Amino acid sequence: MSTIEHESVQVADIHEVDNFTASSRLLPAELCPISDVTVPAQGLGAVIVGLGRAGLGLHVPCLEKIGREGGGVSPYGAVVGLVDSVEAGTRRALHRLEYDYGYDPARVSRATCLADLKVDRDHTVVHICTPADDHAATLREATDAGFRRIIVEKPCAANAAEVDEMQRIADRTGASIGVINPYLYSRSIASCKDKIQQVGRQPHYLEFEMSKPRTSPTLAGRSRPESVIDVELPHQIATALYLTDSPRYRVLRAEVRHMHYREVDTDPCQVVRNMGVGVIVLELDECVAVLVSYLDALTRTRQLKLRFPNTEHIEAFLPVSGEDHTSVVVEYSGRNTDGSTEQRRVAKLPDDMLTRCLFDMYSRFVTGSPQVSDLAFNRKVVDVMDKAKTLAWIRR
Ligand SMILES: NC(=O)c1ccc[n+]([C@@H]2O[C@H](COP(=O)([O-])OP(=O)(O)OC[C@H]3O[C@@H](n4cnc5c(N)ncnc54)[C@H](O)[C@@H]3O)[C@@H](O)[C@H]2O)c1
């Protein structure tokens, strides 16, 4: 833990950055512009494969928000297809589309495999929201069925060899593939990136904690993660690589602990191997990054700190729920005359990063632009995960 929490700070004014129109909230200057190209009249259709927490709980609401707020230039049209290996999953999802979003069920194709879907392959984006060990196989199934625009949930795949296989599929078929990395689209992460540019050098220390209570989904086996390293740490690794833009990375240390759980003291303790706490220490050129994730925490924390070789540092408090999307960024520079840390700027930012991420991905599919979070970037993320799993004795 850093010492900053114990230091007295001079509190600056909070600036609420709320003067965005609905569409500029989704499409700021740095994201892919779509206004000067021909957007398909209906926008691109979406096929969701894997209708669990990510597919039905996260992607569908964000897409519908894009449809509502994107104004006349929305690159997204509507959900046109639902696929889940469990038939009850597609039935539940269709019910949700009908009752929550007013869909006509007759206009949505349902199937237990992509090949059986009755949708227009040329104007459709496939969202692969199945567990990570299934992503490469589902990508092959999608391209074999004729789809060429594909979004893959994080982590990109179960290991780097599978990412290589996905790259071969993309090269052979010409499919355009983007991997979900919402933190690359966070406004507070963008503030940290701006700070690095302003200081003119990398931070020498980066600390990123993402913790939450994830006991019930873990006991229920949701999304089948191999370890704590597969849940929040892919976001943290991607953010550290993106911020430092470092061509070289080295995993200095990686450790995991089991998750222990019992409802009441008299119950036997349940142990879930390698799913409690994860720590990865990375060397990224001049920067040491310490990434921490507790999945048996009692509260949610998403906090990033960057320290620079001069006395400056910046902290980002990222959104902790799917309901409220606000980040707070605090910048510090030097010391006050009484020795306390001088707090220079506090900014409150609207930060609906998954919606911005999906909006940008669809815009790039429409314009034929390369994806920001492509397979090459995500191969590095998965490679760090592989090396960390070996160091932490998850794989022998
Ligand atoms: N971006 C995020 O913040 C975020 C959040 C949660 C999960 N995820 C990621 O999303 C992916 C899925 O996680 P989840 O929590 O939604 O899992 P989940 O267990 O809630 O849902 C997975 C769904 O996929 C279906 N499925 C499994 N194999 C399939 C196949 N071959 N074809 C079709 N359907 C299949 C299952 O029946 C289930 O309905 C994982 O990669 C996970 O890491 C990302």
Side-chain angles (χ1 to χ4, degrees):
M1 180 181 289
S2 78
T3 53
I4 192 70
E5 290 87 346
H6 308 296
E7 293 173 347
S8 66
V9 291
Q10 192 180 67
V11 180
D13 291 339
I14 293 188
H15 303 285
E16 289 206 28
V17 184
D18 58 2
N19 57 339
F20 297 108
T21 61
S23 57
S24 69
R25 225 180 238 135
L26 296 174
L27 185 60
E30 76 268 24
L31 298 190
C32 182
I34 57 164
S35 50
D36 16 335
V37 297
T38 313
V39 178
Q42 303 300 318
L44 294 170
V47 166
I48 315 290
V49 188
L51 295 157
R53 167 70 190 142
L56 188 57
L58 298 173
H59 286 227
V60 169
C62 290
L63 290 172
E64 289 301 308
K65 190 171 181 184
I66 291 170
R68 278 197 312 276
E69 295 187 3
V73 291
S74 176
Y76 159 75
V79 175
V80 294
L82 298 169
V83 179
D84 198 289
S85 47
V86 180
E87 218 266 332
T90 57
R91 231 182 304 124
R92 190 184 55 223
L94 190 64
H95 192 268
R96 178 85 70 85
L97 287 180
E98 189 180 356
Y99 290 99
D100 286 359
Y101 302 109
Y103 274 71
D104 173 357
R107 300 176 75 97
V108 182
S109 179
R110 281 194 298 143
T112 50
C113 71
L114 274 157
D116 291 346
L117 274 187
K118 293 175 181 55
V119 298
D120 170 6
R121 268 85 168 134
D122 294 336
H123 296 98
T124 304
V125 178
V126 172
H127 296 234
I128 299 181
C129 301
T130 56
D133 57 6
D134 186 79
H135 289 176
T138 307
L139 174 67
R140 194 176 312 109
E141 199 193 324
T143 50
D144 286 352
F147 295 97
R148 292 292 179 268
R149 297 182 178 102
I150 293 153
I151 290 174
V152 182
E153 251 302 346
K154 66 83 208 167
C156 181
N159 53 55
E162 288 192 3
V163 183
D164 292 339
E165 172 59 13
M166 293 166 88
Q167 186 66 65
R168 283 192 288 275
I169 294 170
D171 293 343
R172 193 180 69 240
T173 60
S176 173
I177 298 167
V179 181
I180 294 285
N181 261 313
Y183 290 82
L184 272 49
Y185 291 91
S186 155
R187 287 185 189 278
S188 51
I189 301 292
S191 289
C192 293
K193 190 100 172 152
D194 289 348
K195 182 76 183 175
I196 293 171
Q197 263 161 10
Q198 190 193 316
V199 173
R201 60 188 297 188
Q202 283 186 357
H204 69 290
Y205 180 71
L206 179 158
E207 184 183 302
F208 195 0
E209 177 179 347
M210 287 182 72
S211 297
K212 62 181 180 185
R214 192 189 185 271
T215 310
S216 304
T218 302
L219 294 174
R222 193 170 82 200
S223 81
R224 303 198 304 255
E226 185 181 6
S227 72
V228 57
I229 290 175
D230 298 86
V231 181
E232 302 286 34
L233 280 157
H235 294 304
Q236 295 158 265
I237 296 165
T239 304
L241 289 169
Y242 169 73
L243 279 175
T244 56
D245 217 2
S246 171
R248 283 183 313 234
Y249 53 86
R250 194 153 65 102
V251 184
L252 299 177
R253 193 183 135 200
E255 280 178 30
V256 296
R257 281 191 226 140
H258 305 330
M259 178 183 278
H260 296 87
Y261 176 74
R262 66 174 149 212
E263 192 81 32
V264 288
D265 283 354
T266 47
D267 282 352
C269 183
Q270 300 187 61
V271 178
V272 189
R273 289 184 63 75
N274 303 325
M275 282 301 291
V277 184
V279 179
I280 297 178
V281 182
L282 281 177
E283 184 185 60
L284 299 151
D285 282 346
E286 298 162 25
C287 178
V288 170
V290 179
L291 313 175
V292 181
S293 179
Y294 292 79
L295 297 184
D296 50 10
L298 293 178
T299 54
R300 285 179 169 256
T301 305
R302 286 181 178 167
Q303 192 175 349
L304 172 69
K305 301 174 183 180
L306 304 184
R307 290 170 191 279
F308 295 90
N310 58 16
T311 52
E312 299 201 50
H313 60 278
I314 184 167
E315 297 182 3
F317 299 83
L318 293 132
V320 291
S321 86
E323 307 295 317
D324 296 306
H325 308 284
T326 306
S327 279
V328 173
V329 176
V330 188
E331 279 185 66
Y332 303 85
S333 63
R335 304 246 158 208
N336 297 311
T337 45
D338 65 357
S340 61
T341 309
E342 186 193 359
Q343 192 167 315
R344 214 174 53 183
R345 187 176 79 100
V346 182
K348 193 174 155 199
L349 308 161
D351 209 1
D352 188 352
M353 53 188 110
L354 181 58
T355 305
R356 277 157 54 86
C357 172
L358 288 171
F359 187 93
D360 187 58
M361 288 173 139
Y362 269 71
S363 305
R364 287 172 191 277
F365 284 135
V366 167
T367 56
S369 311
Q371 293 290 330
V372 171
S373 176
D374 59 8
L375 289 175
F377 176 76
N378 285 279
R379 192 192 187 284
K380 290 191 221 168
V381 177
V382 176
D383 186 45
V384 169
M385 291 169 64
D386 282 353
K387 292 186 162 94
K389 285 175 183 179
T390 306
L391 276 180
W393 295 96
I394 294 166
R395 294 182 188 155
R396 310 214 169 180

